[in-house]
């Protein structure tokens, strides 16, 4: 059974850096075609794609956020880490990670349950 | 950047058919995926590659498309189908994924 679980701080101060971890099970991040992606959703608003990393370590970013985002594989073989710098209250959102299989252009399935991050002083 | 436009809301009576549209420039050239998000839950894939269904998704959910519009059709709507629905594509020109604006389906 494939599962993903997001973890990280629930509250972050403005200008700080957010570090989120996606821990996966049921598949290997090193298997050809496997990718992990991050998506966020501000309260009451639509989904916004953030970034993805593929089995080979190649990464892709939302161009509007690219200067603030960094995605990498964690030190643990089953983790993907997303960093977002210079947080602002508008970055308050539920952050999800999801799997993409068969290459980075494909659909997201399954998703983690999400983690709510509030940016406030 | 590539934009996907969905109607904010669709209302449908139980047992009837709901159609959710997703408009984008030449979207017919792209593979469209659809997600259902019930209140307080993570999104769930219901249609991928325009018209394929993941295992476990009822055949009441179907997808189709034309040159500039993709459509998610929910037949024989049930109370449990009440949710937000999002379309999604990969935009090769920008090199990233794009979500639609989302549609709330309300069962009357």
């Amino acid at each position: 059974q494939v599962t993903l679980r997001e973890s990280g701080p629930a509250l972050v101060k403005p200008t700080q850096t957010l570090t989120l971890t996606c821990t996966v099970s049921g598949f290997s991040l090193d298997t050809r075609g496997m990718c992990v992606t991050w998506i966020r959703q501000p309260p009451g608003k639509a989904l916004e794609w953030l970034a993805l990393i593929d089995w080979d370590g190649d990464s892709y970013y939302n161009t509007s956020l690219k200067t603030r985002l960094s995605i990498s594989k964690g030190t643990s073989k089953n983790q993907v880490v997303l960093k977002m710098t210079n947080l602002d209250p508008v970055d308050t959102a539920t952050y999800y990670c999801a799997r993409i299989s068969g290459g980075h252009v494909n659909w997201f399935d399954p998703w983690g349950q999400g983690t709510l991050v509030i940016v406030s002083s | 950047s590539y934009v996907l436009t969905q109607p904010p809301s669709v209302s449908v009576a139980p047992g009837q058919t709901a159609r959710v549209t997703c408009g984008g420039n030449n979207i017919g050239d792209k593979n469209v995926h659809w997600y259902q998000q019930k209140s307080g839950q993570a999104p769930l894939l219901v249609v991928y590659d325009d018209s394929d269904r993941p295992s476990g998704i009822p055949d009441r959910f179907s997808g189709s498309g034309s040159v500039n519009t993709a459509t998610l059709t929910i037949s024989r709507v049930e109370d449990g189908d009440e949710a937000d629905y999002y379309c999604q594509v990969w935009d090769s020109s920008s090199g990233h994924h794009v979500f639609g604006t989302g549609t709330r389906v309300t069962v009357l």
Side-chain angles (χ1 to χ4, degrees):
Chain A
Q1 182 188 6
V2 173
T3 64
L4 301 95
R5 179 172 48 88
E6 305 88 351
S7 59
L11 180 64
V12 181
K13 288 181 166 47
T15 75
Q16 288 187 336
T17 295
L18 172 67
T19 299
L20 295 173
T21 301
C22 178
T23 302
V24 311
S25 65
F27 70 100
S28 171
L29 295 171
D30 296 328
T31 299
R32 185 177 181 82
M34 290 298 174
C35 314
V36 169
T37 188
W38 284 92
I39 307 99
R40 71 178 179 180
Q41 185 174 38
K45 296 190 176 182
L47 301 168
E48 180 181 30
W49 178 74
L50 298 176
L52 74 87
I53 189 166
D54 72 13
W55 73 98
D56 213 20
D58 292 330
S59 55
Y60 301 78
Y61 295 96
N62 185 319
T63 51
S64 65
L65 295 166
K66 187 173 184 176
T67 59
R68 300 175 53 208
L69 293 174
S70 174
I71 190 170
S72 62
K73 293 185 181 181
T75 52
S76 174
K77 288 184 77 69
N78 65 336
Q79 291 186 331
V80 170
V81 177
L82 180 75
K83 293 183 186 289
M84 178 180 289
T85 61
N86 195 23
L87 269 280
D88 182 272
V90 300
D91 296 312
T92 293
T94 297
Y95 287 76
Y96 297 97
C97 61
R99 183 186 72 164
I100 306 174
S101 55
H104 65 275
V105 304
N106 286 334
W107 54 92
F108 307 161
D109 180 55
W111 296 53
Q113 84 278 11
T115 185
L116 175 62
V117 177
I118 297 172
V119 182
S120 175
S121 54
Chain B
S1 61
Y2 194 73
V3 176
L4 295 174
T5 302
Q6 299 181 234
S9 63
V10 168
S11 297
V12 60
Q16 299 304 301
T17 298
R19 293 180 178 83
V20 180
T21 58
C22 175
N25 188 39
N26 290 320
I27 194 173
D29 293 338
K30 303 180 186 302
N31 291 324
V32 182
H33 320 301
W34 291 91
Y35 302 89
Q36 174 193 70
Q37 186 179 32
K38 296 183 179 180
S39 180
Q41 297 183 17
L44 173 71
L45 179 73
V46 293
V47 167
Y48 65 96
D49 281 354
D50 300 330
S51 58
D52 291 332
R53 276 186 313 277
S55 61
I57 300 300
D59 61 6
R60 300 185 298 103
F61 290 84
S62 62
S64 61
S66 63
V67 174
N68 290 313
T69 304
T71 302
L72 173 71
T73 300
I74 311 172
S75 304
R76 305 181 301 280
V77 166
E78 302 175 356
D79 288 347
D81 299 331
E82 189 162 280
D84 294 327
Y85 291 84
Y86 294 91
C87 56
Q88 175 246 319
V89 301
W90 168 261
D91 178 36
S92 56
S93 62
S94 62
H96 67 67
H97 291 277
V98 179
F99 283 100
T101 51
T103 298
R104 174 151 297 176
V105 172
T106 300
V107 181
L108 299 172

